Amino acid sequence: MSYEISRNIVKNELVDKIEELSGQNVFDCYQCGTCSAGCPVVEYMDIMPNQVMRLAQFGATEDLINSKTIWICSACLQCSTRCPKGIEVAKVMEALRSINLRKRVGTLDPNKIETEDLQDLPPIALVGAFRKLTG
Ligand code: SF4
Ligand code: SF4
């Protein structure tokens, strides 16, 4: 007997929220792995992009919300352009970051940036990092 993961089986607040924020249907993913194969920062992730999609299908809230991957993702859109199912995986990553940020949970504390770094980094990099990583 085979079990197909579908929206009818997984009733989960996280799945609904991802769909609302990203506009993507995580159940469209058939785990081909193309997104992970082309991701330029996958080696730094604790969960690969295709695994993010699979965990989202299962509604594995804690694993996703607490993963390093959603912060490591550089939003380069490579995965979104290559997915054969047309899923914008980068938007799913963004949705997961947003769920954390809306709870004021971020991964960058501006007060902990070294003074030398503040002097060396271009302002646009700091603004981008604050917008993406600060809750
Ligand atoms: S490329 Fe698309 S279909 Fe393939 S694993 Fe990634 S999200 Fe799923
Ligand atoms: S958008 Fe994120 S997950 Fe997708 S390929 Fe780029 S870094 Fe990897």
Side-chain angles (χ1 to χ4, degrees), residues 6 8 10-11 20 27 29 35 38 51 54 58 76 99 104 109:
S6 75
N8 295 332
V10 180
K11 295 284 184 194
E20 178 194 327
F27 297 102
C29 172
C35 49
Q51 293 173 324
R54 192 60 167 163
F58 282 112
C76 71
I99 290 167
R104 306 203 68 76
D109 182 348

Side-chain angles (χ1 to χ4, degrees), residues 39-41 45 49 73-79 90 93:
C39 176
V41 291
M45 294 176 165
C73 168
S74 61
C76 71
L77 307 184
Q78 178 95 283
C79 50
M93 297 286 188

